[in-house]
Amino acid sequence: MDRIKIIGGSRLSGQIPISGAKNAALPLLIASLLTDDRLTLKNVPNLADVNLLMRILRNHGVDLAVDGKRPGPKQHIGETFHLTARDIVDTTAPYELVSRMRASFWVLGPILARMHQTRVSLPGGCAIGTRPVDLHLEGLKALGADIEIENGYVVAKAPGGLVGNKVVFPKVSVGATHNVLLAAALAKGETVIENAAREPEIGDVAECLVKMGVEIEGIGSSTLRIQGRDRLEGAVHTVLPDRIETGTFAMAVAATGGDVTLTGTRADLLQNALDTLAKTGAEITTTPSSIKVTRNGADILPVSVETQPFPGFPTDLQAQFMALMTRATGTSVIRETIFENRFMHVQELVRLGAEISMHGDTATISGVGALHGAQVMATDLRASVSLVIAGLMADGETTINRVYHLDRGFEQLEQKLTACGAKIERVTGD
Ligand code: EPZ
C-alpha cells in the first residue's frame, strides 16, 4: 500500500491550479443516465472516486470517451468526458460497487425516472457516521415511487413513471437533494423541493440540467422548482472548481506560512471558510478566478467554528481547520454538527503532538508550540488530508499510511504541493 512521506517545516510559495469539484463531477456523471443523447463534461478531475463511479455507470450502459489535456502542473486542465447512455442495459446497482462509494447510491433517482424501476444496494455505514438514506427514499416516494427494501437492496418501481410533487425535506441533505432533483428532471409536471441543500455542487448540477432542457427556478436557493420533461437533450457543461480542494490548500498555506495563489477557483464558493481563515491572521486577496493566501511570520490566532450546511463552514474542511488550530497561540473550539463521528483525525493529530480534548460533538484544541513527525493513518478522505497539513507543519518526518483515501478526492496532491516547495513524496509498495 502506498504511503506519503513529508519532511515538515517548508513554507509554501507559488501557484496551485484547482481541479474540478469531485462532489459536482460525481452527480454530473450520474446525470448522463437521464438522456440517450451525449453529455459532455469538461474539467472532470482524475480521481479514484470518478473512476469507480464510471465502472458503475458502464455497468448500466453508459459509454465513455475521454479527451484529456494536461499541459503541465501550472495550467492543469481536467479531462473532458463524453458520456452516452443510449440504452440502460442493467437497472441494478450491485452491492459490490455501491458499498465502495456512497455517491453511487444517487443513480437511484435517475434510473427510476428513466426506466420506471431499479434495484440499488443500500450504501451501508461509513467511517464518518451512520449516514442513513431515509430522506432520499421519502423524496422519491413523494414523486410516486413504490419502494421496498429487499435483501439489502432498495427496490423502487413507478410503473407509469414518476409524477412531480412537493418534496419538503425535514433536514438538509446534499445527496437526497441530488437524488430528487435528478429524478424530477424526468418526472411528469412540476416538482418543488423545499429545504433543498444549497451547496454550490447542487447548483452546478441544476445548471447542467437546464442545458439539457429542464426548466428550473430557484437555483442556489433552498426552494427548487423543476418542470420535468419526457426526454432530455445532450449538453456540454464544465464542472465547477473544487471548493474543498481550494480551502484545503488555503489552510495548508496558513499553516506553513508563505504565499500561494490558488488559480481557476472562486472565493464565493467558500466565503465562510476564507473569512474564518482571515480571522486566524492569514491575508486573503481575491480576483474573480483566483485566491491568494499569505501568512508571513504572523501568529496563527485561535478561532472557533461550527460546521453548517452551505453557506456555513463546511464539514469537509473541519479536519483541515483543526490541523491548523493545533499550532494556534491559544484555545479554539470546533463543533461538528453534520456527521456524528467525523473526528477520526483527532487521535492521529495527537500522535503528532497536538493537544485536543473531545466532548460529544465538540473538540477543544489547545495550540502547541510545535508538532513532531510520526507515523499516522486516517480512515477518510478529509481526515487524511488534515494529516498532510499537520505533517507540513511538524518537525522532522511524518509518514501517512492508507494513501488511497487521498486519491479518492485530491488530484495530483503531492505534485501540487511539491511545486510550491513542500517536501512530500509518495512511497509505493507496502
Ligand atoms: C455529501 O454527502 C458529500 N458527498 C460529503 O462529502 C459532505 O460531507 C456532505 O454532503 C455534507 O456536506 C458528496 O457530495 C459525494 P448529506 P451526503 O446527505 O450527501 C443526514 C467528502 O469528503 N442524512 O448532506 O452523504 C446524514 O446522516 C464527502 O467529499 C439523513 O439523516 O451528505 C448527515 O448527518 C464526505 N438521512 C446529514 O444528513 C438521509 O437520507 C447530511 O448528509 C440523508 C442524510
Side-chain angles (χ1 to χ4, degrees):
M1 233 183 280
D2 291 3
R3 283 165 292 163
I4 296 264
K5 235 183 216 181
I6 299 172
I7 309 288
S10 304
R11 292 157 64 79
L12 296 176
S13 95
Q15 276 196 12
I16 298 182
I18 296 302
S19 298
K22 167 179 85 81
N23 288 349
L26 298 176
L28 285 166
L29 293 169
I30 290 174
S32 68
L33 290 166
L34 291 168
T35 175
D36 57 2
D37 213 340
R38 175 194 272 194
L39 177 63
T40 295
L41 298 176
K42 298 183 178 176
N43 201 31
V44 178
N46 185 3
L47 300 171
D49 270 10
V50 166
N51 297 330
L52 177 58
L53 180 62
M54 277 319 306
R55 276 183 58 193
I56 296 170
L57 294 178
R58 277 202 197 92
N59 204 43
H60 294 302
V62 177
D63 274 337
L64 168 70
V66 178
D67 57 270
K69 275 199 284 172
R70 295 180 174 275
K74 291 253 159 83
Q75 314 152 264
H76 169 82
I77 300 175
E79 288 173 302
T80 297
F81 277 26
H82 304 283
L83 304 126
T84 315
R86 208 162 307 287
D87 298 301
I88 305 290
V89 294
D90 191 343
T91 56
T92 296
Y95 172 79
E96 296 71 41
L97 295 174
V98 177
S99 58
R100 292 172 57 188
M101 188 186 33
R102 188 176 165 87
S104 56
F105 185 72
W106 305 349
V107 302
L108 179 67
I111 298 182
L112 176 63
R114 184 160 160 195
M115 303 302 290
H116 303 178
Q117 57 157 15
T118 182
R119 273 177 85 235
V120 179
S121 170
L122 283 165
C126 168
I128 61 177
T130 51
R131 303 182 83 185
V133 291
D134 54 317
L135 301 171
H136 300 238
L137 304 188
E138 290 310 316
L140 294 173
K141 280 183 190 166
L143 303 190
D146 171 24
I147 296 184
E148 306 279 347
I149 309 291
E150 287 173 15
N151 308 106
Y153 278 75
V154 174
V155 180
K157 293 179 189 139
L162 294 175
V163 182
N165 198 354
K166 189 166 171 176
V167 176
V168 184
F169 286 124
K171 177 174 183 177
V172 176
S173 161
V174 171
T177 305
H178 276 310
N179 228 331
V180 173
L181 169 64
L182 290 165
L186 277 183
K188 277 189 207 76
E190 180 177 276
T191 297
V192 180
I193 307 180
E194 287 189 2
N195 203 22
R198 284 185 285 162
E199 269 63 9
E201 294 75 23
I202 308 263
D204 206 36
V205 171
E207 300 285 0
C208 180
L209 291 174
V210 168
K211 292 178 190 163
M212 293 168 83
V214 186
E215 232 178 86
I216 305 179
E217 273 176 40
I219 296 177
S221 78
S222 56
T223 303
L224 295 171
R225 196 174 283 274
I226 304 136
Q227 310 295 334
R229 292 275 304 269
D230 293 346
R231 180 179 172 274
L232 304 193
E233 292 143 28
V236 179
H237 185 77
T238 302
V239 179
L240 95 171
D242 196 314
R243 65 193 165 98
I244 305 303
E245 187 197 22
T246 306
T248 299
F249 286 127
M251 285 172 194
V253 181
T256 61
D259 182 334
V260 171
T261 303
L262 307 168
T263 60
T265 189
R266 289 173 16 214
D268 63 300
L269 299 174
L270 70 160
Q271 199 57 58
N272 187 302
L274 293 177
D275 291 347
T276 305
L277 215 44
K279 288 186 201 151
T280 72
E283 230 178 87
I284 314 276
T285 337
T286 63
T287 72
S289 63
S290 74
I291 300 169
K292 184 172 168 191
V293 184
T294 311
R295 191 171 66 80
N296 280 323
D299 284 342
I300 300 172
L301 304 176
V303 177
S304 295
V305 296
E306 178 174 302
T307 62
Q308 288 295 337
F310 191 84
F313 188 93
T315 173
D316 289 347
L317 285 174
Q318 180 256 108
Q320 298 88 316
F321 189 68
M322 192 182 296
L324 173 65
M325 287 297 96
T326 62
R327 290 278 282 104
T329 50
T331 300
S332 58
V333 175
I334 298 183
R335 183 165 169 247
E336 171 59 59
T337 72
I338 311 287
F339 293 109
E340 76 270 24
N341 192 23
R342 205 172 199 182
F343 280 124
M344 309 302 281
H345 42 287
V346 168
Q347 66 194 35
E348 301 302 299
L349 290 171
V350 167
R351 290 171 67 77
L352 295 169
E355 283 180 19
I356 305 172
S357 65
M358 292 297 309
H359 198 263
D361 63 2
T362 302
T364 303
I365 304 111
S366 309
V368 292
L371 297 180
H372 308 288
Q375 292 252 4
V376 289
M377 75 164 70
T379 46
D380 84 81
L381 166 62
R382 312 303 177 187
S384 304
V385 87
S386 78
L387 299 176
V388 172
I389 295 177
L392 291 171
M393 285 190 284
D395 301 334
E397 186 175 299
T398 295
T399 304
I400 303 172
N401 296 295
R402 298 201 187 164
V403 169
Y404 58 84
H405 287 297
L406 287 172
D407 295 336
R408 288 187 43 214
F410 288 93
E411 188 174 50
Q412 298 190 326
L413 180 76
E414 309 95 89
Q415 290 89 331
K416 289 181 181 186
L417 286 169
T418 303
C420 290
K423 296 198 177 74
I424 175 168
E425 62 170 348
R426 179 176 297 241
V427 184
T428 44
D430 25 64

